[in-house]
Amino acid sequence: MGLEMKDKITRRNFIKASLGTALSLSLPHMGLSDLFAQTLREKEIIPDLAVVTDGDAALMTRQAIELLGGMRRFVSKGDVVVVKPNIGWDRSPEQAADTNPQVVAEVVKLCLESGAKKVKVFDRSCNTANRCYEHSGIKKAASDAGAEVSYVVDAGFSKMKLPQGEVLKQWPLYKPALEADILINVPIAKNHGLTYLTMGIKNLMGIMGGDRGKIHWSIDDKLADLANFVRPQLTILDAYRILVKNGPQGGSLKDVRMKKTIIAGTQIATVDAYGATLFGMKPAGLKHIVKSSKLGLGEIDLSKVNIKKVSLG
Amino acid sequence: MKTVRRISQILFLLFFFFLFLAATYPLKIKIPVDLFLRMDPLIALSAMVSARAFVETFIWAIFVVALTIPLGRFFCGWVCPLGTTLDVTSFVFKNKAGKSYPRFKYIKHMILIFLLIGAIFSSQLFWFFDPVALFTRSIALSIWPIITLISSSIFGLAFKLASYPDWLSRVHNLFSSTLLPDQLTFFRMSGWVLLIFLAILVAEFVSRRFWCRYLCPLGALLAFFSKFQIWRRRVASDCTDCAVCQNVCKMDAIKSDFRLTDDVECIQCYDCVKDCSPHVTTINFKGKVQPCKFDLGRRRVLTSAAAGLVSVGILKTNFVGRNQTAALIRPPGSRDEEDFLDRCIRCHECVKVCSTSGRFLQPTFLEAGLEGLWTPVGVARYGYCEFNCTLCTEVCPTDAIHVLDVKTKKKWIIGIAYIDRDRCIPFYKNENCLVCQEHCPTSPKAIELKDEKVLHFDGTERLVKRPYMIEDLCIGCGICETKCPVAGKSAIIITPQNEQRWVD
């Protein structure tokens, strides 16, 4: 299936998908259902990438996960899940500098519905943390959805060796994020001065401690090394609103575009590659995405990717 | 009544700490967090003399003065947070009333005159002596950072030992931004402020309420207003001359004839009433109202007035304060420097509240001259002025920093950044960096990246993104300077160029 092909929910597709989901749900968890998901993916019933458009932010999120085989594919009963949104800036949801709170809340709900023991939400903010947590609306939305929203504490960082790191070999990382059973990366798609765009891969900087400023020197390679080490199991890109200028914190509503799109996938580079197209950019022109792909974090030639598109409009 | 007085003291002290901790983001509280400073008549006097106008925030202080006229120095005995702290210290260490220095009593009145004369000639030193400002400052700059340092170390240790349990993060969340700041906070000058505070506490071991008896100019001012008080200590004629009352009086207000009281010194603490074994001492509203006798003496008045004038000379004529090049970034909404220095009483409410937001403000040492000692100034290498934040403007009791709404604040220029190309990585190393541009909060950004083809020193050609300042957009918030990853001195620095000041 190519990028251009846009699936409608036909009866056959619907039955295929729901049968697949139902089967995967009914099977005992872990190994077998993973195996089953694998088979379903090979038979192109579960796509590599789910793209849902033109709906309510929460509904689109739910639908996107559903297309990927449901949250139960990722979250098992009793799991501790970390949902990592972008809460970097003291901005309102309309300004599209932080992940949409409704998307975060919906991911939290899906995890809890799938039997997660605990869902933690945090990010190391660039502005003062409490201002970002409040103003972004994420603190309230996520805790109302049942998540444990916490501020990042210094004691949580410990210096990690990145054995496969080519440029980034060692860095303090946030232990609670790495120790979770499942890490779900929930970035927002934004413009960025240096990497051109910031999406899934760059969002992982939020679990880095230390002086992150230094990361910006040869940033593309460092980000790829980081993503290769962290490897979140699922990346859900919030492109409900995207920031096309003055990123990553914007400020003016003139720089915000309504895209009403949610992109979900297990391969972080693939998700970002699709995200780039929303800005009219070619993934091949974004070095950090290319490098990540080379490290095995996902196909970025979108013609080779099995994309399932659903419009709720 | 002694118990009632103690309860009042404890409640007011707790209320003080509650307001102190409430001075934090998001500042939703309805009560002004600087309430204690606003009800301080000395600060009111200082602000009004400086402003040459009635300052309406001090309606509370007028209320205190109105109560002082019939009730005497009840504020000192029942309300003042510093007084209570001194009483608690003496209670803990079981201090006796201690030595009496009757002649020292005049010092506080002389300090008051000294301050007043200075203030009239626009050299404001009330800030150094006012007890409420002094107490707030000591807590804000010295005590609170110590408490937060200890509490966050305990949390850090507990997190490590118990491997990040959830209940602990829940407890941590509960205290975060009150007892635990968002990030650890350190202030310059905290040692000096602490030394003065400790000296006042240590003086408690010489004589009880040493500060209040001999030094406090607020006490002197309240004494002035309590000349006609009707709530007075009265002793019945069948007094047995046992001297217990004189020995317990922490204000040394009981004369050698135990029946007589130095009423303007009495703070109605009821210690003498409680300990009077024949039960002949009372404090009540009965009896004739005679004005209290009080005479400072002409020589003392003249001496202190002269000292006030000398202080003007010392503070106003030093070079640094007049130096235009002094690189001071004042908080947004600050008045003109002269007016600012006249009004600022160094309570550091602004510095405290800023430490829960951008951590921008710090007390000065001598950068603003002797006259500007300990005034708030932005130190951008350490913290920055949060774009959406107006907290410091909301907590200033004397309006040295005028209230700004968020919209005005976002356009308020406190300075302009400039790039030091000898240190900036894209310029001297021809490598990409961008951290300053990324953090710039204005929209459009005041720092623009330009793609440039440059000849590297090894002869190769390189494409590099170099930052440029767009001066018209920069408001001097300083986040670029804070976040600049160059070690040591930042490669982008804010200066007070183009700064705005509040003018009525």
Coordinates of all heavy atoms in Angstrom, one line a residue, chain B residues 158-204:
Chain B
A158 N 15.9 9.9 49.6 CA 14.8 8.9 49.7 C 14.5 8.3 48.4 O 14.2 7.1 48.3 CB 13.6 9.6 50.3
F159 N 14.5 9.1 47.3 CA 14.2 8.6 46.0 C 15.2 7.6 45.6 O 14.8 6.5 45.1 CB 14.2 9.8 45.0 CG 12.9 10.5 44.8 CD1 12.8 11.8 45.0 CD2 11.8 9.7 44.3 CE1 11.5 12.4 44.9 CE2 10.6 10.4 44.1 CZ 10.5 11.7 44.4
K160 N 16.5 7.8 45.9 CA 17.5 6.9 45.6 C 17.4 5.6 46.4 O 17.4 4.5 45.8 CB 18.9 7.5 45.8 CG 19.3 8.4 44.7 CD 20.8 8.2 44.3 CE 21.0 8.8 42.9 NZ 21.4 10.2 42.9
L161 N 17.2 5.7 47.7 CA 17.1 4.5 48.6 C 15.9 3.7 48.3 O 16.0 2.5 48.2 CB 17.1 5.0 50.0 CG 18.5 5.6 50.5 CD1 18.3 6.0 52.0 CD2 19.6 4.5 50.4
A162 N 14.8 4.3 48.1 CA 13.6 3.6 47.9 C 13.3 3.3 46.4 O 12.2 2.8 46.1 CB 12.4 4.3 48.5
S163 N 14.2 3.6 45.5 CA 14.1 3.5 44.1 C 12.8 4.0 43.5 O 12.0 3.3 43.0 CB 14.4 2.0 43.6 OG 13.5 1.1 44.2
Y164 N 12.6 5.3 43.7 CA 11.6 6.1 43.1 C 10.1 5.5 43.3 O 9.4 5.3 42.3 CB 11.9 6.2 41.6 CG 13.3 6.6 41.3 CD1 14.2 5.7 40.9 CD2 13.7 7.9 41.5 CE1 15.5 6.0 40.8 CE2 15.0 8.3 41.3 CZ 15.9 7.3 41.0 OH 17.2 7.6 40.8
P165 N 9.7 5.3 44.5 CA 8.3 4.8 44.7 C 7.3 5.9 44.3 O 7.7 7.1 44.4 CB 8.3 4.4 46.1 CG 9.3 5.3 46.8 CD 10.4 5.6 45.8
D166 N 6.2 5.5 44.0 CA 5.2 6.5 43.5 C 4.6 7.3 44.7 O 4.3 8.5 44.5 CB 4.0 5.7 42.8 CG 4.5 5.0 41.6 OD1 5.4 5.5 40.9 OD2 4.1 3.8 41.5
W167 N 4.5 6.7 45.8 CA 3.9 7.5 47.0 C 4.9 8.6 47.3 O 4.4 9.7 47.6 CB 3.7 6.6 48.2 CG 5.0 5.9 48.7 CD1 5.4 4.7 48.4 CD2 5.9 6.5 49.7 NE1 6.6 4.4 49.1 CE2 6.9 5.5 49.9 CE3 6.0 7.7 50.3 CZ2 8.0 5.7 50.7 CZ3 7.1 7.9 51.2 CH2 8.1 6.9 51.4
L168 N 6.2 8.4 47.0 CA 7.1 9.5 47.3 C 7.0 10.6 46.3 O 7.1 11.8 46.7 CB 8.6 8.9 47.3 CG 9.6 9.8 48.1 CD1 9.2 10.0 49.5 CD2 11.0 9.1 48.0
S169 N 6.8 10.2 45.1 CA 6.6 11.3 44.1 C 5.3 12.1 44.4 O 5.2 13.3 44.1 CB 6.7 10.9 42.6 OG 6.5 9.5 42.5
R170 N 4.4 11.4 44.9 CA 3.1 12.1 45.3 C 3.4 13.1 46.4 O 2.9 14.2 46.3 CB 2.0 11.0 45.7 CG 0.7 11.3 44.9 CD -0.2 10.1 45.1 NE 0.3 8.9 44.4 CZ 0.1 7.7 44.8 NH1 -0.4 7.4 45.9 NH2 0.6 6.7 44.1
V171 N 4.1 12.7 47.4 CA 4.5 13.6 48.5 C 5.3 14.7 47.9 O 5.1 15.9 48.3 CB 5.3 12.8 49.6 CG1 5.7 13.8 50.7 CG2 4.5 11.7 50.2
H172 N 6.2 14.4 47.0 CA 7.1 15.4 46.4 C 6.2 16.4 45.7 O 6.4 17.6 45.8 CB 8.1 14.7 45.5 CG 9.1 15.7 45.0 ND1 8.9 16.4 43.8 CD2 10.3 16.0 45.4 CE1 9.9 17.2 43.6 NE2 10.8 17.0 44.5
N173 N 5.3 15.9 44.9 CA 4.4 16.8 44.2 C 3.6 17.8 45.1 O 3.4 18.9 44.8 CB 3.4 16.0 43.4 CG 4.0 15.6 42.0 OD1 5.2 15.8 41.8 ND2 3.2 14.9 41.2
L174 N 3.2 17.2 46.3 CA 2.4 18.0 47.2 C 3.2 19.2 47.7 O 2.7 20.3 47.8 CB 2.1 17.1 48.4 CG 1.0 17.5 49.3 CD1 -0.3 17.4 48.6 CD2 1.0 16.6 50.6
F175 N 4.5 19.0 47.9 CA 5.3 20.1 48.5 C 6.0 21.0 47.4 O 6.6 22.0 47.7 CB 6.4 19.6 49.4 CG 5.8 19.0 50.7 CD1 5.9 17.7 51.0 CD2 5.2 19.9 51.6 CE1 5.4 17.2 52.2 CE2 4.6 19.4 52.7 CZ 4.7 18.1 53.0
S176 N 6.0 20.5 46.2 CA 6.7 21.2 45.1 C 6.1 22.6 44.9 O 4.9 22.7 45.0 CB 6.8 20.4 43.9 OG 5.9 20.8 42.9
S177 N 6.9 23.5 44.6 CA 6.6 24.9 44.5 C 6.1 25.6 45.8 O 5.8 26.8 45.8 CB 5.7 25.3 43.4 OG 5.0 24.3 42.7
T178 N 6.1 24.9 46.9 CA 5.9 25.6 48.2 C 7.2 25.5 49.0 O 8.1 26.3 49.0 CB 4.7 25.2 48.9 OG1 4.7 23.8 49.0 CG2 3.4 25.7 48.3
L179 N 7.2 24.3 49.7 CA 8.4 24.1 50.5 C 9.6 23.7 49.6 O 10.8 23.9 49.9 CB 8.2 23.0 51.5 CG 7.5 23.5 52.8 CD1 7.2 22.3 53.7 CD2 8.3 24.5 53.5
L180 N 9.3 23.0 48.5 CA 10.3 22.6 47.5 C 10.1 23.5 46.3 O 9.1 23.4 45.7 CB 10.1 21.2 47.1 CG 10.5 20.1 48.1 CD1 9.9 18.8 47.7 CD2 11.9 20.0 48.3
P181 N 11.1 24.3 46.0 CA 10.9 25.0 44.7 C 11.1 24.1 43.6 O 11.6 23.0 43.7 CB 12.1 26.1 44.8 CG 13.1 25.4 45.7 CD 12.4 24.5 46.6
D182 N 10.7 24.6 42.4 CA 10.8 23.9 41.2 C 12.2 23.4 41.0 O 12.5 22.3 40.6 CB 10.4 24.8 40.1 CG 9.9 24.1 38.9 OD1 9.3 23.0 39.1 OD2 10.1 24.6 37.8
Q183 N 13.1 24.3 41.2 CA 14.5 24.0 41.1 C 15.1 24.5 42.4 O 14.6 25.4 43.0 CB 15.2 24.6 39.9 CG 14.8 24.0 38.6 CD 15.3 24.9 37.5 OE1 14.7 25.9 37.2 NE2 16.3 24.4 36.7
L184 N 16.3 24.0 42.7 CA 16.9 24.6 43.9 C 17.3 26.1 43.7 O 17.6 26.5 42.6 CB 18.2 23.8 44.2 CG 18.0 22.6 45.1 CD1 19.4 22.0 45.4 CD2 17.3 23.0 46.4
T185 N 17.2 26.8 44.8 CA 17.3 28.2 44.7 C 18.5 28.7 45.6 O 18.6 28.3 46.7 CB 16.1 28.9 45.2 OG1 15.0 28.3 44.5 CG2 16.1 30.4 44.9
F186 N 19.3 29.5 45.0 CA 20.4 30.1 45.8 C 20.5 31.6 45.6 O 20.2 32.0 44.5 CB 21.8 29.4 45.5 CG 21.8 28.0 45.6 CD1 21.7 27.1 44.5 CD2 21.8 27.4 46.9 CE1 21.6 25.8 44.7 CE2 21.8 26.1 47.1 CZ 21.7 25.2 46.0
F187 N 20.7 32.3 46.6 CA 20.8 33.8 46.5 C 22.2 34.3 46.9 O 22.8 33.8 47.8 CB 19.7 34.4 47.3 CG 18.3 34.0 47.0 CD1 17.6 33.3 47.8 CD2 17.8 34.4 45.7 CE1 16.3 32.9 47.5 CE2 16.5 34.0 45.4 CZ 15.8 33.3 46.3
R188 N 22.6 35.3 46.2 CA 23.8 36.0 46.6 C 23.4 36.7 47.9 O 22.2 36.9 48.2 CB 24.2 37.0 45.6 CG 24.1 36.5 44.2 CD 24.9 37.4 43.3 NE 24.2 38.7 43.1 CZ 24.5 39.5 42.1 NH1 25.4 39.2 41.2 NH2 23.9 40.7 41.9
M189 N 24.4 37.2 48.7 CA 24.2 38.0 49.9 C 23.5 37.3 51.0 O 23.3 37.8 52.1 CB 23.3 39.2 49.5 CG 24.0 40.2 48.5 SD 25.4 41.0 49.2 CE 26.7 40.3 48.2
S190 N 23.1 36.0 50.8 CA 22.3 35.3 51.8 C 23.1 35.2 53.1 O 22.6 35.3 54.2 CB 21.9 34.0 51.3 OG 23.0 33.2 51.0
G191 N 24.4 35.1 53.0 CA 25.3 35.0 54.2 C 25.2 36.3 55.1 O 25.0 36.2 56.3
W192 N 25.3 37.4 54.4 CA 25.3 38.7 55.1 C 24.0 38.9 55.8 O 23.9 39.4 56.9 CB 25.6 39.8 54.2 CG 27.0 39.7 53.6 CD1 27.3 39.4 52.3 CD2 28.2 39.9 54.3 NE1 28.7 39.4 52.2 CE2 29.3 39.7 53.4 CE3 28.6 40.2 55.6 CZ2 30.6 39.7 53.7 CZ3 29.9 40.2 56.0 CH2 30.9 40.0 55.0
V193 N 22.9 38.6 55.0 CA 21.6 38.8 55.6 C 21.4 37.9 56.8 O 20.8 38.3 57.8 CB 20.5 38.5 54.5 CG1 19.1 38.5 55.0 CG2 20.7 39.5 53.3
L194 N 21.9 36.7 56.7 CA 21.8 35.7 57.8 C 22.5 36.2 59.0 O 22.1 36.1 60.1 CB 22.3 34.3 57.3 CG 22.1 33.2 58.3 CD1 20.6 33.0 58.6 CD2 22.7 31.9 57.9
L195 N 23.7 36.8 58.8 CA 24.5 37.2 59.9 C 23.8 38.3 60.7 O 23.8 38.3 61.9 CB 25.8 37.8 59.4 CG 27.0 36.9 59.2 CD1 28.2 37.6 58.7 CD2 27.3 36.1 60.5
I196 N 23.2 39.2 60.0 CA 22.4 40.3 60.7 C 21.2 39.7 61.5 O 21.0 40.0 62.7 CB 21.9 41.3 59.7 CG1 23.1 42.1 59.2 CG2 20.9 42.3 60.3 CD1 22.8 43.1 58.1
F197 N 20.6 38.8 60.8 CA 19.4 38.1 61.5 C 19.9 37.3 62.7 O 19.3 37.4 63.8 CB 18.8 37.1 60.5 CG 17.5 36.5 61.0 CD1 16.4 37.3 61.4 CD2 17.4 35.1 61.1 CE1 15.2 36.7 61.8 CE2 16.2 34.5 61.6 CZ 15.1 35.3 61.9
L198 N 21.0 36.6 62.6 CA 21.5 35.9 63.8 C 22.0 36.8 64.9 O 21.8 36.5 66.0 CB 22.7 35.0 63.3 CG 22.3 33.8 62.5 CD1 23.6 33.0 62.1 CD2 21.4 32.9 63.2
A199 N 22.6 38.0 64.5 CA 23.0 38.9 65.5 C 21.8 39.4 66.3 O 21.9 39.5 67.6 CB 23.7 40.1 64.8
I200 N 20.7 39.6 65.7 CA 19.5 40.0 66.4 C 19.0 38.9 67.4 O 18.6 39.2 68.5 CB 18.4 40.4 65.4 CG1 18.8 41.7 64.7 CG2 17.1 40.6 66.1 CD1 17.9 42.1 63.5
L201 N 19.1 37.7 66.9 CA 18.8 36.6 67.7 C 19.7 36.4 68.9 O 19.3 36.2 70.0 CB 18.7 35.3 66.9 CG 17.6 35.1 65.9 CD1 17.6 33.7 65.3 CD2 16.3 35.4 66.5
V202 N 21.0 36.6 68.6 CA 22.0 36.4 69.7 C 21.8 37.5 70.8 O 22.0 37.3 72.0 CB 23.4 36.5 69.1 CG1 24.5 36.6 70.2 CG2 23.7 35.2 68.3
A203 N 21.5 38.7 70.3 CA 21.3 39.8 71.2 C 20.2 39.5 72.3 O 20.1 40.0 73.4 CB 20.9 41.1 70.5
E204 N 19.3 38.5 71.9 CA 18.3 38.1 72.8 C 18.9 37.4 74.1 O 18.2 37.4 75.1 CB 17.5 37.0 72.0 CG 16.1 36.7 72.6 CD 15.1 37.8 72.6 OE1 15.4 38.9 72.0 OE2 14.1 37.7 73.3

